[in-house]
Amino acid sequence: MLLLLLASAPPISAQRGPSAPPTYTRDIAPLLARHCTECHRAGEVGPFPLDTFLAASRHAKLIAEVTAARYMPPYKATAASLPFHNERRLSNREIALFAAWARNGAPSGAPHGAPSRTSPLAPPPPEAPFDLTFTLPTPYSLPAEGRDLYRCFVVPTAAAQPRYINAFRFLPGNPAVVHHALFFFDLSGAARKLDAEHPGPGYPCFGSPGFLPTSSLGGWSPGNRTLRMPPNTAVRLPAGADLVMQIHYRLTGKPEADQSRLAVRFAPSAPAKRLLDIPLTSNQIDIPPGKAAYRVQDSFEVPVDVTLWQIIPHAHFLAQRVRAWATLPNQPRRTLLAIDDWDFNWQDIYQLRTPLLLPAGTLLEMEILYNNTAANPRNPHSPPRRVTWGFSTSDEMAGMHFNITVDDEAADLSDLTSSLWGKMIRTLGIGIPKR
């Protein structure tokens, strides 16, 4: 109805008051600042800036098209999901404003004497300083053309004693090529060995970093700023550990270089609780060519009272529909995360705005549907071929990670750990030897 009303509105010159078509100054600039210019400004990952009236008006029609299709902003969780921090989902009203603005010729609405048409919107506010910044030892050179690259870089932390990270921010050295990044700690020396075996900085990696991490800090994707750990939790940086940054690069058609950084803040002391992971996953993936709805499922019954803080899904290019549910005792099943158009290139960490208490006996479930047909535009194989579980881009994976804290660690942590070990053994198919 709103679109019909806006479409029938007379030209802006004949309008006054709140019924006038939207203008850049009053309506569009705040939306762009809230949802778009974090990436669409000079030096960031967006292919063109949108932080001035002149730049935005040139792309008004394109903005209307990609927002109407919900292709942009790149936020995949649907409205059926729980509310999350840093949601980039546009409302129907906001999408209608972009459409009406473009249809009416992208008017400025700026009063006489307003800032120049090329004056940029205000950048995001500065943050509190970080305690320490880890930088890639040397710049990494990328070729002009070829397939996307996944590279792991080893950065010694030189930590003389354990520290506890309660916030971090990834700072891509070259936003034009850095697509996303994951962060691990290694005490085994395995990452250093892999680095030494390959020429140049770092070593190639996809999916797994090539070793069993001591711990994981999380990840970054465009549009994310500082990631803060849930209250009273932190990630342990072990003494003597190496930081391993796994970075996904996309090529631009010309030679590029990157020297990214990871800035961290430390908690003043050891956290009151540990942030733990309940992984739902499956390696039983064998998708025949032509299969349009191949289903992978997993579940886990929580044996103790826990609090859910964030959800991290993972799959590759054939996945299309992703679901996570929780069924609390004596309650109907509740949707936690719903994604109807999975895109490997836009994987987020979904932090709940309000942490969810999950009492003992809660059933956590995940389901991922894969489309291995030519109708899937992200299918890496033409024609489609059989795809099985594996770490390569041509393989598939299925994961749903629930990051939780145990409400009473002293009484219940060992029970949760034992249950998770049992689940992992069953998932990996490890049997007990016969006597």
Side-chain angles (χ1 to χ4, degrees), residues 74 242 302 310:
D242 289 327
V302 181
Q310 58 193 29

Side-chain angles (χ1 to χ4, degrees), residues 94-113:
E94 290 171 329
I95 292 173
L97 283 172
F98 280 127
W101 183 61
R103 187 168 54 250
N104 283 275
S108 166
H112 179 70

